[in-house]
Amino acid sequence: MKKITKAVIPAAGLGTRMLPIARTIPKEMLPIVDRPAISYLVEEAKNSGITDILIITGRNKETIENYFDYSPEYESRLIAAGKKDLVNKLRQICEGVNITFMRQLETKGLGHAVARAEAFVGGQPFAVLYGDDIIFSKTPVVRQLADIYEKTGLGVLGVKEVSDELIMKYCTLDAAKTDKDGIYTVLDMIEKPKKEEIITNFAILGRVILPPEIFGILKETKPGAGGEIQLTDAMKILAKNNTMMALDFEGKRYDMGSKLGFLKANVEQAVINPEFGQEFKTYLKKFVKEL
Ligand code: UTP
């Protein structure tokens, strides 16, 4: 089966849940400790064997492109200050993978953003990493999903069980167990289900592998929930044709598109930071005790 070498990162959303900061700073550029969220996605893709990434951006998102560029003026100042090692570290951010950028022009939904990637993908299967879903795992999640694609040739959704309350905001999956632990065949999906419509509590959390057939389906997909072209509406067609799998992946996911998710990601990563984690933990324990 074909290897997955291309990935699309949709990062053009308005980020209304992260206002007011998201009006001027893209939520994908919000930091987890000292790196923007999107750089964790690029790392994950790189470590999964991806060689080409398309980042879909929009107006007010120029800082994303700048982040993945060299900075000659900054670098010459660092070299003059005898800090060449820092220059090398900065350059590593944009090396080892080809990154291209494209504007969505209009924010008409995740499905609309992914549809922009057709020429880039060039008839290959590809990975999608939702720009505000950060996942820390032993094996990068895109690699976990790609392993299944490369064996089966079918689309694969990265899923995790969530509460009833959350699944009603996401999409419930009708998923049947296979003989492999954690791997399911997806039969159907219902976007934003009512309580009585919940089939399973498996939600798609930010990673999917899609076959190129998705583009033909997206062209026919009408605006759905919120008046947006929903990627899940197109993926549902693949599910109904029995060509979609799901993996209950190993990893911890943070929703960087929500204020609470952003805060949790920062606190949890700060606690395990090799440089100051111990000090931060001591501070945090004392702080919580005094509450
Ligand atoms: P979300 O629905 O979480 O992003 O989409 P959003 O629309 O920015 O969120 P809110 O509700 O306004 O806070 C998941 C990913 O898809 C991208 C977003 O940038 C995010 O990374 N997206 C969404 C696009 O690229 N284009 C769109 O039209 C919509």
Side-chain angles (χ1 to χ4, degrees), residues 9-19 22 27-28 41 56-57 61 104 106-114 129-133 228-230 255 257-258:
I9 304 180
L14 294 177
T16 40
R17 285 167 300 149
M18 290 304 277
L19 284 173
K27 61 177 169 174
E28 297 80 7
L41 295 179
I56 312 274
T57 69
K61 301 257 184 179
Q104 191 184 353
E106 289 177 289
T107 41
K108 287 184 173 175
L110 182 56
H112 180 264
V114 170
L129 295 87
Y130 300 10
D132 52 4
D133 272 327
E228 296 192 331
I229 297 177
Q230 299 289 350
D255 177 9
S258 81

PDB file of all heavy atoms in Angstrom, residues 9-19 22 27-28 41 56-57 61 104 106-114 129-133 228-230 255 257-258, ligand 1:
ATOM      1  N   ILE A   9      -2.627  20.764   7.164  1.00  0.00           N
ATOM      2  CA  ILE A   9      -2.986  21.333   8.474  1.00  0.00           C
ATOM      3  C   ILE A   9      -3.911  22.525   8.236  1.00  0.00           C
ATOM      4  O   ILE A   9      -3.457  23.591   7.831  1.00  0.00           O
ATOM      5  CB  ILE A   9      -1.736  21.782   9.267  1.00  0.00           C
ATOM      6  CG1 ILE A   9      -0.745  20.622   9.428  1.00  0.00           C
ATOM      7  CG2 ILE A   9      -2.148  22.346  10.635  1.00  0.00           C
ATOM      8  CD1 ILE A   9       0.527  20.964  10.208  1.00  0.00           C
ATOM      9  N   PRO A  10      -5.223  22.350   8.431  1.00  0.00           N
ATOM     10  CA  PRO A  10      -6.129  23.490   8.286  1.00  0.00           C
ATOM     11  C   PRO A  10      -5.969  24.415   9.502  1.00  0.00           C
ATOM     12  O   PRO A  10      -6.120  23.967  10.629  1.00  0.00           O
ATOM     13  CB  PRO A  10      -7.526  22.860   8.260  1.00  0.00           C
ATOM     14  CG  PRO A  10      -7.307  21.376   8.247  1.00  0.00           C
ATOM     15  CD  PRO A  10      -5.951  21.117   8.786  1.00  0.00           C
ATOM     16  N   ALA A  11      -5.631  25.659   9.232  1.00  0.00           N
ATOM     17  CA  ALA A  11      -5.379  26.602  10.340  1.00  0.00           C
ATOM     18  C   ALA A  11      -5.966  27.968  10.008  1.00  0.00           C
ATOM     19  O   ALA A  11      -5.415  28.989  10.371  1.00  0.00           O
ATOM     20  CB  ALA A  11      -3.876  26.700  10.585  1.00  0.00           C
ATOM     21  N   ALA A  12      -7.091  27.955   9.291  1.00  0.00           N
ATOM     22  CA  ALA A  12      -7.669  29.230   8.836  1.00  0.00           C
ATOM     23  C   ALA A  12      -8.884  29.662   9.644  1.00  0.00           C
ATOM     24  O   ALA A  12      -9.449  30.721   9.388  1.00  0.00           O
ATOM     25  CB  ALA A  12      -8.050  29.113   7.354  1.00  0.00           C
ATOM     26  N   GLY A  13      -9.265  28.833  10.627  1.00  0.00           N
ATOM     27  CA  GLY A  13     -10.501  29.115  11.379  1.00  0.00           C
ATOM     28  C   GLY A  13     -10.444  30.443  12.130  1.00  0.00           C
ATOM     29  O   GLY A  13      -9.370  30.967  12.417  1.00  0.00           O
ATOM     30  N   LEU A  14     -11.607  30.947  12.471  1.00  0.00           N
ATOM     31  CA  LEU A  14     -11.690  32.255  13.124  1.00  0.00           C
ATOM     32  C   LEU A  14     -11.276  32.199  14.595  1.00  0.00           C
ATOM     33  O   LEU A  14     -10.855  33.194  15.163  1.00  0.00           O
ATOM     34  CB  LEU A  14     -13.122  32.793  13.038  1.00  0.00           C
ATOM     35  CG  LEU A  14     -13.614  33.126  11.627  1.00  0.00           C
ATOM     36  CD1 LEU A  14     -15.062  33.572  11.678  1.00  0.00           C
ATOM     37  CD2 LEU A  14     -12.743  34.186  10.969  1.00  0.00           C
ATOM     38  N   GLY A  15     -11.431  31.030  15.195  1.00  0.00           N
ATOM     39  CA  GLY A  15     -11.025  30.889  16.600  1.00  0.00           C
ATOM     40  C   GLY A  15     -11.903  31.681  17.544  1.00  0.00           C
ATOM     41  O   GLY A  15     -11.398  32.263  18.507  1.00  0.00           O
ATOM     42  N   THR A  16     -13.207  31.673  17.305  1.00  0.00           N
ATOM     43  CA  THR A  16     -14.093  32.517  18.119  1.00  0.00           C
ATOM     44  C   THR A  16     -14.075  32.128  19.604  1.00  0.00           C
ATOM     45  O   THR A  16     -14.275  32.981  20.463  1.00  0.00           O
ATOM     46  CB  THR A  16     -15.543  32.484  17.611  1.00  0.00           C
ATOM     47  OG1 THR A  16     -15.845  31.156  17.232  1.00  0.00           O
ATOM     48  CG2 THR A  16     -15.753  33.381  16.419  1.00  0.00           C
ATOM     49  N   ARG A  17     -13.781  30.831  19.885  1.00  0.00           N
ATOM     50  CA  ARG A  17     -13.742  30.424  21.291  1.00  0.00           C
ATOM     51  C   ARG A  17     -12.513  30.995  22.002  1.00  0.00           C
ATOM     52  O   ARG A  17     -12.428  30.940  23.219  1.00  0.00           O
ATOM     53  CB  ARG A  17     -13.741  28.891  21.393  1.00  0.00           C
ATOM     54  CG  ARG A  17     -15.102  28.265  21.113  1.00  0.00           C
ATOM     55  CD  ARG A  17     -14.972  26.782  20.918  1.00  0.00           C
ATOM     56  NE  ARG A  17     -14.099  26.463  19.792  1.00  0.00           N
ATOM     57  CZ  ARG A  17     -13.335  25.381  19.705  1.00  0.00           C
ATOM     58  NH1 ARG A  17     -13.340  24.505  20.675  1.00  0.00           N
ATOM     59  NH2 ARG A  17     -12.584  25.178  18.640  1.00  0.00           N
ATOM     60  N   MET A  18     -11.568  31.505  21.243  1.00  0.00           N
ATOM     61  CA  MET A  18     -10.352  32.068  21.845  1.00  0.00           C
ATOM     62  C   MET A  18     -10.278  33.588  21.705  1.00  0.00           C
ATOM     63  O   MET A  18      -9.194  34.171  21.735  1.00  0.00           O
ATOM     64  CB  MET A  18      -9.104  31.433  21.224  1.00  0.00           C
ATOM     65  CG  MET A  18      -8.887  29.989  21.602  1.00  0.00           C
ATOM     66  SD  MET A  18      -8.805  29.695  23.390  1.00  0.00           S
ATOM     67  CE  MET A  18      -7.097  30.084  23.720  1.00  0.00           C
ATOM     68  N   LEU A  19     -11.431  34.208  21.531  1.00  0.00           N
ATOM     69  CA  LEU A  19     -11.434  35.675  21.496  1.00  0.00           C
ATOM     70  C   LEU A  19     -11.260  36.211  22.915  1.00  0.00           C
ATOM     71  O   LEU A  19     -11.670  35.538  23.860  1.00  0.00           O
ATOM     72  CB  LEU A  19     -12.753  36.178  20.891  1.00  0.00           C
ATOM     73  CG  LEU A  19     -12.843  36.048  19.373  1.00  0.00           C
ATOM     74  CD1 LEU A  19     -14.235  36.403  18.884  1.00  0.00           C
ATOM     75  CD2 LEU A  19     -11.800  36.905  18.667  1.00  0.00           C
ATOM     76  N   ALA A  22      -7.592  35.707  19.721  1.00  0.00           N
ATOM     77  CA  ALA A  22      -7.536  35.144  18.370  1.00  0.00           C
ATOM     78  C   ALA A  22      -7.804  36.172  17.257  1.00  0.00           C
ATOM     79  O   ALA A  22      -7.598  35.884  16.084  1.00  0.00           O
ATOM     80  CB  ALA A  22      -8.526  33.982  18.251  1.00  0.00           C
ATOM     81  N   LYS A  27      -4.942  31.306  16.833  1.00  0.00           N
ATOM     82  CA  LYS A  27      -4.916  30.367  17.973  1.00  0.00           C
ATOM     83  C   LYS A  27      -3.866  29.276  17.747  1.00  0.00           C
ATOM     84  O   LYS A  27      -3.309  28.744  18.702  1.00  0.00           O
ATOM     85  CB  LYS A  27      -6.299  29.756  18.213  1.00  0.00           C
ATOM     86  CG  LYS A  27      -6.838  28.957  17.049  1.00  0.00           C
ATOM     87  CD  LYS A  27      -8.166  28.320  17.380  1.00  0.00           C
ATOM     88  CE  LYS A  27      -8.793  27.757  16.107  1.00  0.00           C
ATOM     89  NZ  LYS A  27      -9.991  27.016  16.317  1.00  0.00           N
ATOM     90  N   GLU A  28      -3.556  28.980  16.480  1.00  0.00           N
ATOM     91  CA  GLU A  28      -2.530  27.972  16.178  1.00  0.00           C
ATOM     92  C   GLU A  28      -1.137  28.453  16.576  1.00  0.00           C
ATOM     93  O   GLU A  28      -0.194  27.676  16.642  1.00  0.00           O
ATOM     94  CB  GLU A  28      -2.546  27.631  14.677  1.00  0.00           C
ATOM     95  CG  GLU A  28      -3.835  26.992  14.165  1.00  0.00           C
ATOM     96  CD  GLU A  28      -4.971  27.991  13.893  1.00  0.00           C
ATOM     97  OE1 GLU A  28      -4.730  29.230  13.965  1.00  0.00           O
ATOM     98  OE2 GLU A  28      -6.095  27.528  13.600  1.00  0.00           O
ATOM     99  N   LEU A  41       2.478  20.235  15.783  1.00  0.00           N
ATOM    100  CA  LEU A  41       1.837  19.471  14.704  1.00  0.00           C
ATOM    101  C   LEU A  41       2.840  19.134  13.614  1.00  0.00           C
ATOM    102  O   LEU A  41       2.870  18.020  13.091  1.00  0.00           O
ATOM    103  CB  LEU A  41       0.680  20.277  14.095  1.00  0.00           C
ATOM    104  CG  LEU A  41      -0.502  20.567  15.005  1.00  0.00           C
ATOM    105  CD1 LEU A  41      -1.542  21.384  14.274  1.00  0.00           C
ATOM    106  CD2 LEU A  41      -1.119  19.271  15.476  1.00  0.00           C
ATOM    107  N   ILE A  56      -3.086  25.450   5.625  1.00  0.00           N
ATOM    108  CA  ILE A  56      -4.130  26.334   5.082  1.00  0.00           C
ATOM    109  C   ILE A  56      -4.297  27.493   6.056  1.00  0.00           C
ATOM    110  O   ILE A  56      -4.631  27.273   7.230  1.00  0.00           O
ATOM    111  CB  ILE A  56      -5.492  25.604   4.952  1.00  0.00           C
ATOM    112  CG1 ILE A  56      -5.338  24.239   4.279  1.00  0.00           C
ATOM    113  CG2 ILE A  56      -6.524  26.496   4.274  1.00  0.00           C
ATOM    114  CD1 ILE A  56      -5.367  24.207   2.806  1.00  0.00           C
ATOM    115  N   THR A  57      -4.060  28.693   5.585  1.00  0.00           N
ATOM    116  CA  THR A  57      -4.159  29.859   6.478  1.00  0.00           C
ATOM    117  C   THR A  57      -5.200  30.848   5.946  1.00  0.00           C
ATOM    118  O   THR A  57      -5.915  30.548   4.989  1.00  0.00           O
ATOM    119  CB  THR A  57      -2.802  30.585   6.599  1.00  0.00           C
ATOM    120  OG1 THR A  57      -2.510  31.199   5.337  1.00  0.00           O
ATOM    121  CG2 THR A  57      -1.683  29.650   6.972  1.00  0.00           C
ATOM    122  N   LYS A  61      -3.028  35.665   9.571  1.00  0.00           N
ATOM    123  CA  LYS A  61      -2.331  34.458  10.023  1.00  0.00           C
ATOM    124  C   LYS A  61      -0.888  34.434   9.520  1.00  0.00           C
ATOM    125  O   LYS A  61      -0.258  33.381   9.443  1.00  0.00           O
ATOM    126  CB  LYS A  61      -3.085  33.217   9.515  1.00  0.00           C
ATOM    127  CG  LYS A  61      -4.531  33.114   9.974  1.00  0.00           C
ATOM    128  CD  LYS A  61      -4.719  32.106  11.082  1.00  0.00           C
ATOM    129  CE  LYS A  61      -6.181  31.959  11.445  1.00  0.00           C
ATOM    130  NZ  LYS A  61      -6.399  30.987  12.502  1.00  0.00           N
ATOM    131  N   GLN A 104      -7.208  30.103   2.511  1.00  0.00           N
ATOM    132  CA  GLN A 104      -8.545  29.544   2.253  1.00  0.00           C
ATOM    133  C   GLN A 104      -9.455  30.573   1.580  1.00  0.00           C
ATOM    134  O   GLN A 104     -10.446  30.213   0.972  1.00  0.00           O
ATOM    135  CB  GLN A 104      -9.162  29.060   3.581  1.00  0.00           C
ATOM    136  CG  GLN A 104     -10.407  28.232   3.404  1.00  0.00           C
ATOM    137  CD  GLN A 104     -11.065  27.842   4.715  1.00  0.00           C
ATOM    138  OE1 GLN A 104     -10.520  28.085   5.797  1.00  0.00           O
ATOM    139  NE2 GLN A 104     -12.228  27.240   4.642  1.00  0.00           N
ATOM    140  N   GLU A 106     -11.984  32.217   2.082  1.00  0.00           N
ATOM    141  CA  GLU A 106     -13.214  32.404   2.874  1.00  0.00           C
ATOM    142  C   GLU A 106     -13.279  31.275   3.895  1.00  0.00           C
ATOM    143  O   GLU A 106     -13.033  30.117   3.532  1.00  0.00           O
ATOM    144  CB  GLU A 106     -14.444  32.288   1.974  1.00  0.00           C
ATOM    145  CG  GLU A 106     -14.628  33.455   1.038  1.00  0.00           C
ATOM    146  CD  GLU A 106     -15.841  33.215   0.141  1.00  0.00           C
ATOM    147  OE1 GLU A 106     -15.741  32.346  -0.740  1.00  0.00           O
ATOM    148  OE2 GLU A 106     -16.863  33.870   0.355  1.00  0.00           O
ATOM    149  N   THR A 107     -13.607  31.597   5.144  1.00  0.00           N
ATOM    150  CA  THR A 107     -13.672  30.539   6.162  1.00  0.00           C
ATOM    151  C   THR A 107     -15.044  29.878   6.120  1.00  0.00           C
ATOM    152  O   THR A 107     -15.949  30.242   6.867  1.00  0.00           O
ATOM    153  CB  THR A 107     -13.392  31.108   7.571  1.00  0.00           C
ATOM    154  OG1 THR A 107     -14.067  32.358   7.688  1.00  0.00           O
ATOM    155  CG2 THR A 107     -11.939  31.314   7.823  1.00  0.00           C
ATOM    156  N   LYS A 108     -15.145  28.904   5.218  1.00  0.00           N
ATOM    157  CA  LYS A 108     -16.443  28.250   5.029  1.00  0.00           C
ATOM    158  C   LYS A 108     -16.489  26.864   5.648  1.00  0.00           C
ATOM    159  O   LYS A 108     -17.297  26.041   5.234  1.00  0.00           O
ATOM    160  CB  LYS A 108     -16.728  28.137   3.535  1.00  0.00           C
ATOM    161  CG  LYS A 108     -17.085  29.463   2.871  1.00  0.00           C
ATOM    162  CD  LYS A 108     -17.442  29.160   1.434  1.00  0.00           C
ATOM    163  CE  LYS A 108     -17.987  30.321   0.676  1.00  0.00           C
ATOM    164  NZ  LYS A 108     -18.188  29.938  -0.736  1.00  0.00           N
ATOM    165  N   GLY A 109     -15.571  26.601   6.576  1.00  0.00           N
ATOM    166  CA  GLY A 109     -15.619  25.316   7.280  1.00  0.00           C
ATOM    167  C   GLY A 109     -14.416  24.434   6.994  1.00  0.00           C
ATOM    168  O   GLY A 109     -13.680  24.650   6.029  1.00  0.00           O
ATOM    169  N   LEU A 110     -14.254  23.438   7.880  1.00  0.00           N
ATOM    170  CA  LEU A 110     -13.103  22.528   7.782  1.00  0.00           C
ATOM    171  C   LEU A 110     -13.103  21.761   6.447  1.00  0.00           C
ATOM    172  O   LEU A 110     -12.051  21.571   5.828  1.00  0.00           O
ATOM    173  CB  LEU A 110     -13.164  21.557   8.978  1.00  0.00           C
ATOM    174  CG  LEU A 110     -12.062  20.537   9.130  1.00  0.00           C
ATOM    175  CD1 LEU A 110     -10.683  21.175   9.185  1.00  0.00           C
ATOM    176  CD2 LEU A 110     -12.292  19.699  10.391  1.00  0.00           C
ATOM    177  N   GLY A 111     -14.287  21.319   6.006  1.00  0.00           N
ATOM    178  CA  GLY A 111     -14.386  20.593   4.736  1.00  0.00           C
ATOM    179  C   GLY A 111     -13.935  21.466   3.577  1.00  0.00           C
ATOM    180  O   GLY A 111     -13.202  21.022   2.677  1.00  0.00           O
ATOM    181  N   HIS A 112     -14.336  22.721   3.618  1.00  0.00           N
ATOM    182  CA  HIS A 112     -13.957  23.687   2.579  1.00  0.00           C
ATOM    183  C   HIS A 112     -12.443  23.900   2.599  1.00  0.00           C
ATOM    184  O   HIS A 112     -11.799  23.962   1.538  1.00  0.00           O
ATOM    185  CB  HIS A 112     -14.714  25.003   2.819  1.00  0.00           C
ATOM    186  CG  HIS A 112     -14.430  26.071   1.828  1.00  0.00           C
ATOM    187  ND1 HIS A 112     -13.487  27.054   2.049  1.00  0.00           N
ATOM    188  CD2 HIS A 112     -14.938  26.317   0.593  1.00  0.00           C
ATOM    189  CE1 HIS A 112     -13.442  27.866   0.999  1.00  0.00           C
ATOM    190  NE2 HIS A 112     -14.320  27.436   0.101  1.00  0.00           N
ATOM    191  N   ALA A 113     -11.865  23.977   3.800  1.00  0.00           N
ATOM    192  CA  ALA A 113     -10.406  24.169   3.920  1.00  0.00           C
ATOM    193  C   ALA A 113      -9.669  22.969   3.325  1.00  0.00           C
ATOM    194  O   ALA A 113      -8.733  23.131   2.535  1.00  0.00           O
ATOM    195  CB  ALA A 113     -10.023  24.368   5.390  1.00  0.00           C
ATOM    196  N   VAL A 114     -10.110  21.762   3.681  1.00  0.00           N
ATOM    197  CA  VAL A 114      -9.428  20.557   3.187  1.00  0.00           C
ATOM    198  C   VAL A 114      -9.578  20.445   1.660  1.00  0.00           C
ATOM    199  O   VAL A 114      -8.642  20.043   0.961  1.00  0.00           O
ATOM    200  CB  VAL A 114      -9.975  19.295   3.908  1.00  0.00           C
ATOM    201  CG1 VAL A 114      -9.472  18.016   3.246  1.00  0.00           C
ATOM    202  CG2 VAL A 114      -9.563  19.314   5.375  1.00  0.00           C
ATOM    203  N   LEU A 129      -4.216  17.062  10.005  1.00  0.00           N
ATOM    204  CA  LEU A 129      -4.007  17.354  11.434  1.00  0.00           C
ATOM    205  C   LEU A 129      -4.750  18.653  11.704  1.00  0.00           C
ATOM    206  O   LEU A 129      -4.384  19.707  11.167  1.00  0.00           O
ATOM    207  CB  LEU A 129      -2.516  17.560  11.755  1.00  0.00           C
ATOM    208  CG  LEU A 129      -1.573  16.358  11.570  1.00  0.00           C
ATOM    209  CD1 LEU A 129      -1.062  16.294  10.141  1.00  0.00           C
ATOM    210  CD2 LEU A 129      -0.374  16.476  12.513  1.00  0.00           C
ATOM    211  N   TYR A 130      -5.821  18.586  12.484  1.00  0.00           N
ATOM    212  CA  TYR A 130      -6.604  19.793  12.771  1.00  0.00           C
ATOM    213  C   TYR A 130      -5.699  20.753  13.551  1.00  0.00           C
ATOM    214  O   TYR A 130      -5.082  20.360  14.560  1.00  0.00           O
ATOM    215  CB  TYR A 130      -7.846  19.480  13.601  1.00  0.00           C
ATOM    216  CG  TYR A 130      -8.842  18.517  12.961  1.00  0.00           C
ATOM    217  CD1 TYR A 130      -8.552  17.793  11.809  1.00  0.00           C
ATOM    218  CD2 TYR A 130     -10.104  18.338  13.528  1.00  0.00           C
ATOM    219  CE1 TYR A 130      -9.478  16.915  11.250  1.00  0.00           C
ATOM    220  CE2 TYR A 130     -11.043  17.457  12.971  1.00  0.00           C
ATOM    221  CZ  TYR A 130     -10.713  16.743  11.841  1.00  0.00           C
ATOM    222  OH  TYR A 130     -11.625  15.875  11.299  1.00  0.00           O
ATOM    223  N   GLY A 131      -5.683  22.015  13.073  1.00  0.00           N
ATOM    224  CA  GLY A 131      -4.691  22.967  13.578  1.00  0.00           C
ATOM    225  C   GLY A 131      -4.744  23.291  15.056  1.00  0.00           C
ATOM    226  O   GLY A 131      -3.782  23.846  15.599  1.00  0.00           O
ATOM    227  N   ASP A 132      -5.832  22.954  15.737  1.00  0.00           N
ATOM    228  CA  ASP A 132      -5.886  23.306  17.160  1.00  0.00           C
ATOM    229  C   ASP A 132      -5.938  22.091  18.074  1.00  0.00           C
ATOM    230  O   ASP A 132      -6.176  22.221  19.266  1.00  0.00           O
ATOM    231  CB  ASP A 132      -7.055  24.265  17.448  1.00  0.00           C
ATOM    232  CG  ASP A 132      -8.380  23.743  16.914  1.00  0.00           C
ATOM    233  OD1 ASP A 132      -8.397  22.613  16.402  1.00  0.00           O
ATOM    234  OD2 ASP A 132      -9.386  24.464  17.014  1.00  0.00           O
ATOM    235  N   ASP A 133      -5.693  20.903  17.526  1.00  0.00           N
ATOM    236  CA  ASP A 133      -5.678  19.687  18.347  1.00  0.00           C
ATOM    237  C   ASP A 133      -4.252  19.196  18.526  1.00  0.00           C
ATOM    238  O   ASP A 133      -3.628  18.711  17.576  1.00  0.00           O
ATOM    239  CB  ASP A 133      -6.506  18.580  17.673  1.00  0.00           C
ATOM    240  CG  ASP A 133      -7.962  18.644  18.061  1.00  0.00           C
ATOM    241  OD1 ASP A 133      -8.249  19.031  19.211  1.00  0.00           O
ATOM    242  OD2 ASP A 133      -8.811  18.316  17.223  1.00  0.00           O
ATOM    243  N   GLU A 228     -21.521  25.700   7.636  1.00  0.00           N
ATOM    244  CA  GLU A 228     -20.175  25.441   7.126  1.00  0.00           C
ATOM    245  C   GLU A 228     -20.113  24.107   6.385  1.00  0.00           C
ATOM    246  O   GLU A 228     -20.921  23.209   6.660  1.00  0.00           O
ATOM    247  CB  GLU A 228     -19.186  25.401   8.305  1.00  0.00           C
ATOM    248  CG  GLU A 228     -19.078  26.733   9.032  1.00  0.00           C
ATOM    249  CD  GLU A 228     -17.901  26.766   9.998  1.00  0.00           C
ATOM    250  OE1 GLU A 228     -17.533  25.697  10.520  1.00  0.00           O
ATOM    251  OE2 GLU A 228     -17.365  27.870  10.210  1.00  0.00           O
ATOM    252  N   ILE A 229     -19.159  23.997   5.464  1.00  0.00           N
ATOM    253  CA  ILE A 229     -18.950  22.709   4.780  1.00  0.00           C
ATOM    254  C   ILE A 229     -18.157  21.832   5.738  1.00  0.00           C
ATOM    255  O   ILE A 229     -17.007  22.122   6.059  1.00  0.00           O
ATOM    256  CB  ILE A 229     -18.253  22.902   3.421  1.00  0.00           C
ATOM    257  CG1 ILE A 229     -19.183  23.738   2.530  1.00  0.00           C
ATOM    258  CG2 ILE A 229     -17.928  21.544   2.788  1.00  0.00           C
ATOM    259  CD1 ILE A 229     -18.659  24.089   1.187  1.00  0.00           C
ATOM    260  N   GLN A 230     -18.825  20.803   6.243  1.00  0.00           N
ATOM    261  CA  GLN A 230     -18.262  19.973   7.312  1.00  0.00           C
ATOM    262  C   GLN A 230     -17.505  18.785   6.720  1.00  0.00           C
ATOM    263  O   GLN A 230     -18.041  18.049   5.899  1.00  0.00           O
ATOM    264  CB  GLN A 230     -19.388  19.452   8.225  1.00  0.00           C
ATOM    265  CG  GLN A 230     -20.195  20.541   8.918  1.00  0.00           C
ATOM    266  CD  GLN A 230     -19.391  21.246  10.016  1.00  0.00           C
ATOM    267  OE1 GLN A 230     -18.294  20.810  10.396  1.00  0.00           O
ATOM    268  NE2 GLN A 230     -19.931  22.343  10.526  1.00  0.00           N
ATOM    269  N   ASP A 255      -7.307  20.461  23.477  1.00  0.00           N
ATOM    270  CA  ASP A 255      -8.028  21.314  22.534  1.00  0.00           C
ATOM    271  C   ASP A 255      -7.522  22.747  22.699  1.00  0.00           C
ATOM    272  O   ASP A 255      -7.989  23.484  23.568  1.00  0.00           O
ATOM    273  CB  ASP A 255      -9.532  21.217  22.815  1.00  0.00           C
ATOM    274  CG  ASP A 255     -10.329  22.142  21.915  1.00  0.00           C
ATOM    275  OD1 ASP A 255      -9.750  22.724  20.974  1.00  0.00           O
ATOM    276  OD2 ASP A 255     -11.554  22.280  22.148  1.00  0.00           O
ATOM    277  N   GLY A 257      -8.097  25.124  20.911  1.00  0.00           N
ATOM    278  CA  GLY A 257      -9.102  26.080  20.458  1.00  0.00           C
ATOM    279  C   GLY A 257     -10.008  26.520  21.597  1.00  0.00           C
ATOM    280  O   GLY A 257     -10.898  27.338  21.406  1.00  0.00           O
ATOM    281  N   SER A 258      -9.783  25.941  22.811  1.00  0.00           N
ATOM    282  CA  SER A 258     -10.601  26.342  23.962  1.00  0.00           C
ATOM    283  C   SER A 258      -9.681  26.861  25.067  1.00  0.00           C
ATOM    284  O   SER A 258      -8.537  26.416  25.191  1.00  0.00           O
ATOM    285  CB  SER A 258     -11.412  25.146  24.483  1.00  0.00           C
ATOM    286  OG  SER A 258     -10.609  24.337  25.300  1.00  0.00           O
TER     287      SER A 258
HETATM  288  P1  UTP B   1     -12.636  24.545  14.547  1.00  0.00           P
HETATM  289  O1  UTP B   1     -14.080  24.526  14.274  1.00  0.00           O
HETATM  290  O2  UTP B   1     -12.122  24.009  15.841  1.00  0.00           O
HETATM  291  O3  UTP B   1     -12.033  26.026  14.383  1.00  0.00           O
HETATM  292  O4  UTP B   1     -11.894  23.839  13.339  1.00  0.00           O
HETATM  293  P2  UTP B   1     -12.719  27.434  14.434  1.00  0.00           P
HETATM  294  O5  UTP B   1     -13.787  27.555  13.412  1.00  0.00           O
HETATM  295  O6  UTP B   1     -11.587  28.400  14.344  1.00  0.00           O
HETATM  296  O7  UTP B   1     -13.305  27.427  15.921  1.00  0.00           O
HETATM  297  P3  UTP B   1     -14.268  28.440  16.678  1.00  0.00           P
HETATM  298  O8  UTP B   1     -15.517  27.649  16.904  1.00  0.00           O
HETATM  299  O9  UTP B   1     -14.425  29.668  15.829  1.00  0.00           O
HETATM  300  O10 UTP B   1     -13.574  28.748  17.972  1.00  0.00           O
HETATM  301  C1  UTP B   1     -10.832  22.888  13.443  1.00  0.00           C
HETATM  302  C2  UTP B   1      -9.627  23.349  12.630  1.00  0.00           C
HETATM  303  O11 UTP B   1     -10.010  23.685  11.296  1.00  0.00           O
HETATM  304  C3  UTP B   1      -9.563  24.970  10.940  1.00  0.00           C
HETATM  305  C4  UTP B   1      -9.354  25.712  12.247  1.00  0.00           C
HETATM  306  O12 UTP B   1      -8.300  26.680  12.109  1.00  0.00           O
HETATM  307  C5  UTP B   1      -8.975  24.604  13.219  1.00  0.00           C
HETATM  308  O13 UTP B   1      -7.585  24.427  13.280  1.00  0.00           O
HETATM  309  N1  UTP B   1     -10.577  25.629  10.058  1.00  0.00           N
HETATM  310  C6  UTP B   1     -11.875  25.742  10.469  1.00  0.00           C
HETATM  311  C7  UTP B   1     -10.170  26.127   8.834  1.00  0.00           C
HETATM  312  O14 UTP B   1      -8.981  26.017   8.445  1.00  0.00           O
HETATM  313  N2  UTP B   1     -11.103  26.752   8.053  1.00  0.00           N
HETATM  314  C8  UTP B   1     -12.398  26.890   8.428  1.00  0.00           C
HETATM  315  O15 UTP B   1     -13.185  27.465   7.652  1.00  0.00           O
HETATM  316  C9  UTP B   1     -12.796  26.370   9.671  1.00  0.00           C
END
